[in-house]
Amino acid sequence: MHDLIRDMVLRITSESPLFMVKAGLRLLKFPGEQEWEENLERVSLMENDFEEIPSKMSPHCEILSTLLLQRNENLQRIPECFFVHMHGLKVLNLSNTNIEVLPSSVSDLTNLRSLLLGMCRRLKRVPSLAKLLALQYLDLKETSIEEVPEGMEMLKNLSHLYLYSRWLKKFPTGILPRLHNLYKLKLSFGNEALRETVEEAASLSDVLDYFEGYFSKLKDFNIYVKSKDGRGSKNYCLLLSAYPMPPSMMADFEVDKSVRLFACKICEREETIVLPKDVQRLQMFAVSDVASLNDVLPREQGLVNIGKFSHDLKVLRFDSCNNLKNLFSLRLLPALQNLERLEVDKCDSIEEIVAVEDEETEKELATNTIINTVTLPRLKLCFYDLPEFKSICSDNGVLVCNSLQEIEVSNCPKLKRLSLSLPLLDNGQPSPPPALEVIETEKELWESLEWDQPNAKDVLNPYCKFVAL
């Protein structure tokens, strides 16, 4: 908290016995019981350095409604009796603390509406929640619980449920259908996920404002997508990973429909990944069993069926996918009309972005009888650390992107051709795309590029911003 704001709050609250604010002071000693007056309504002790609360401390604060203890990262122990006389408590925030066990006295806080335990990474046990019928917001993300807390099926007023633990074995069936007021759901299905639970979650997709699902197995991911598709779903983020998800992969936005694949196999012999038909953001990190996005797309008579692929994609990102040779085929371009950002980073084997997948198209390209035109609004192209990357399009392919907004290219030593066709003026001379803002690359690479159109380089020079490796 900013010093000026904190001083103002402390000055105001010191004049009233209803509040205790000692936030961000890095205190080592927990406030003594004499400071917990009976008429306290709100207490903020966040961002201090407490390691424990005195073992027999049990403040008599029956009208206390809000207790904020979050970001006390050294706090390890809370005595069982601490919450016994806090029956009026409505908001309890213990997120980002180091506790392993939540005291059983929390089970009797029948007026509690928000219980926030997110990022308590050592938390292994939460007592029964059966009596907390007023609870609306339950945050258990990034904890170490192995079992879902007892009594969760009783929380019929719950609107926000966030439960992600890498140690969770399974989320039992029969709970989700009883939570009629769920608005936002972030859930890991566990290492022993039940098909019925996955289907129950999918059945909620048309009533939830946002769903975030963590899957450890491809078959569970596919069960959810197949059960969900066709429902009027809103925003979601589906994460598939064979390993615990790093914090950087956690969804930090709830604004679109996204799929994130991290260090997993998506093209197995028995089963290939099924992508949602309305996905807007597709990100692949360290996925090594595909050579092209085409490998996982539905096909008919050997060719990609673009009718079954999302036409809503806005963002495509590939990072450290070292077996990728290309991203997709020329035939897929019509499905990418809404693409706004294409990013490829640290994919050691990729040679081109758009490939020709069938002989007929290859012959047409060879005789220059095919024009590869696609309108991509506000498109931003980003290519980083690609040692084998040579061209955007294979052979004679040319991409017409009149709404290209930005290009970033860094450490792509073999890149010779961008394969971009610029708009033409009435006199037949090329002109920069109207939306173009900047081309960011190394000067040496820019000077070595080959162009399909005369004067293209001169036209684009004013937009260059040269950077060092």
Side-chain angles (χ1 to χ4, degrees):
M1 182 185 299
H2 191 281
D3 290 345
L4 181 62
I5 297 174
R6 183 176 67 237
D7 291 345
M8 180 178 67
V9 171
L10 291 173
R11 186 169 63 253
I12 294 172
T13 57
S14 65
E15 299 170 0
S16 169
L18 300 179
F19 304 91
M20 176 165 53
V21 179
K22 295 187 177 184
L25 301 179
R26 315 317 308 181
L27 299 176
L28 296 173
K29 186 177 180 181
F30 199 76
E33 197 152 354
Q34 70 279 3
E35 298 184 62
W36 294 75
E37 301 184 35
E38 291 187 4
N39 57 350
L40 273 175
E41 288 188 7
R42 294 181 176 87
V43 173
S44 176
L45 298 172
M46 67 175 76
E47 295 181 10
N48 283 295
D49 292 324
F50 311 128
E51 290 189 6
E52 62 180 6
I53 298 173
S55 60
K56 295 183 180 180
M57 190 171 182
S58 184
H60 286 252
C61 300
E62 293 289 353
I63 66 170
L64 183 66
S65 65
T66 302
L67 177 55
L68 306 179
L69 287 165
Q70 67 266 35
R71 295 193 291 279
N72 278 284
E73 296 178 359
N74 296 323
L75 182 59
Q76 299 180 37
R77 288 178 293 277
I78 302 174
E80 282 290 325
C81 58
F82 185 71
F83 298 107
V84 167
H85 303 294
M86 297 183 183
H87 291 113
L89 203 58
K90 295 180 179 178
V91 177
L92 175 58
N93 194 336
L94 287 162
S95 57
N96 281 96
T97 59
N98 207 27
I99 60 173
E100 289 189 29
V101 177
L102 189 65
S104 57
S105 52
V106 169
S107 296
D108 295 317
L109 300 179
T110 55
N111 289 303
L112 203 61
R113 295 180 182 175
S114 295
L115 179 57
L116 309 176
L117 300 164
M119 311 301 287
C120 293
R121 292 190 171 92
R122 296 184 65 199
L123 182 63
K124 295 180 180 178
R125 187 179 71 83
V126 174
S128 174
L129 305 177
K131 297 180 184 178
L132 308 188
L133 303 183
L135 199 63
Q136 298 175 4
Y137 199 118
L138 177 60
D139 185 358
L140 288 165
K141 67 177 179 289
E142 279 291 292
T143 61
S144 292
I145 61 173
E146 296 181 4
E147 296 181 352
V148 170
E150 180 184 338
M152 189 177 288
E153 70 278 1
M154 303 300 293
L155 308 181
K156 296 184 179 180
N157 286 309
L158 204 62
S159 60
H160 293 67
L161 172 58
Y162 302 161
L163 197 162
Y164 169 68
S165 167
R166 68 181 65 179
W167 308 113
L168 185 69
K169 295 177 181 177
K170 60 186 175 184
F171 191 95
T173 59
I175 293 178
L176 292 178
R178 300 184 66 174
L179 306 181
H180 302 298
N181 290 302
L182 270 185
Y183 181 69
K184 291 187 179 180
L185 175 62
K186 300 182 181 182
L187 184 65
S188 60
F189 291 94
N191 299 318
E192 302 172 10
L194 301 173
R195 181 187 182 99
E196 293 83 357
T197 305
V198 176
E199 291 174 341
E200 287 173 357
S203 70
L204 298 174
S205 61
D206 53 352
V207 297
L208 290 173
D209 180 71
Y210 179 74
F211 173 72
E212 193 169 297
Y214 297 82
F215 302 85
S216 59
K217 296 179 181 177
L218 177 60
K219 69 178 181 64
D220 299 323
F221 180 96
N222 283 349
I223 288 171
Y224 179 85
V225 172
K226 291 175 182 178
S227 300
K228 182 198 79 72
D229 268 353
R231 299 179 186 273
S233 58
K234 297 183 181 177
N235 293 336
Y236 59 79
C237 181
L238 307 182
L239 301 102
L240 173 63
S241 175
Y243 304 96
M245 202 78 66
S248 61
M249 276 293 295
M250 297 299 178
D252 52 1
F253 46 82
E254 302 175 2
V255 296
D256 58 12
K257 303 173 182 181
S258 62
V259 170
R260 298 184 178 192
L261 309 172
F262 175 78
C264 56
K265 291 187 176 182
I266 62 174
C267 193
E268 298 180 358
R269 181 179 301 177
E270 302 82 9
E271 191 166 15
T272 298
I273 194 170
V274 178
L275 295 172
K277 295 177 182 177
D278 58 354
V279 62
Q280 296 173 331
R281 181 185 297 258
L282 176 60
Q283 298 173 270
M284 293 171 55
F285 298 78
V287 175
S288 60
D289 64 336
V290 293
S292 170
L293 183 60
N294 283 37
D295 292 348
V296 298
L297 298 180
R299 290 175 172 264
E300 287 186 5
Q301 297 180 343
L303 298 178
V304 171
N305 183 354
I306 64 171
K308 295 184 178 180
F309 182 71
S310 175
H311 287 233
D312 299 320
L313 264 177
K314 294 181 180 180
V315 176
L316 269 173
R317 183 183 177 195
F318 301 83
D319 191 329
S320 304
C321 299
N322 289 332
N323 285 324
L324 274 180
K325 296 293 186 182
N326 60 71
L327 292 193
F328 43 75
S329 68
L330 184 64
R331 194 173 294 275
L332 190 64
L333 282 178
L336 302 177
Q337 297 292 322
N338 293 305
L339 193 65
E340 296 177 5
R341 182 182 180 92
L342 174 60
E343 181 175 335
V344 189
D345 188 5
K346 300 182 184 68
C347 296
D348 290 349
S349 300
I350 195 162
E351 298 179 3
E352 58 196 13
I353 304 302
V354 185
V356 178
E357 71 160 355
D358 63 284
E359 293 182 3
E360 183 177 347
T361 305
E362 191 169 358
K363 290 178 181 178
E364 291 175 337
L365 279 171
T367 57
N368 293 317
T369 58
I370 186 168
I371 300 176
N372 315 319
T373 303
V374 60
T375 303
L376 304 174
R378 301 181 302 281
L379 181 64
K380 181 175 181 179
L381 297 174
C382 305
F383 307 120
Y384 312 118
D385 301 319
L386 307 175
E388 299 297 325
F389 182 42
K390 299 174 183 176
S391 176
I392 292 180
C393 294
S394 62
D395 300 319
N396 296 323
V398 174
L399 208 59
V400 179
C401 300
N402 291 343
S403 48
L404 186 64
Q405 187 177 37
E406 188 173 338
I407 304 175
E408 291 183 14
V409 182
S410 176
N411 196 22
C412 298
K414 292 187 178 181
L415 181 62
K416 296 300 180 185
R417 184 170 168 265
L418 284 179
S419 313
L420 298 175
S421 178
L422 301 181
L424 297 178
L425 299 173
D426 292 339
N427 62 6
Q429 292 298 309
S431 66
L436 185 63
E437 296 177 1
V438 66
I439 300 172
E440 191 171 306
T441 187
E442 302 113 33
K443 184 175 180 62
E444 184 179 352
L445 173 63
W446 178 255
E447 296 294 343
S448 68
L449 289 177
E450 301 170 0
W451 299 91
D452 295 288
Q453 293 172 289
N455 305 323
K457 179 179 175 183
D458 295 335
V459 167
L460 296 177
N461 264 330
Y463 296 88
C464 288
K465 177 183 177 182
F466 296 122
V467 295
L469 268 178

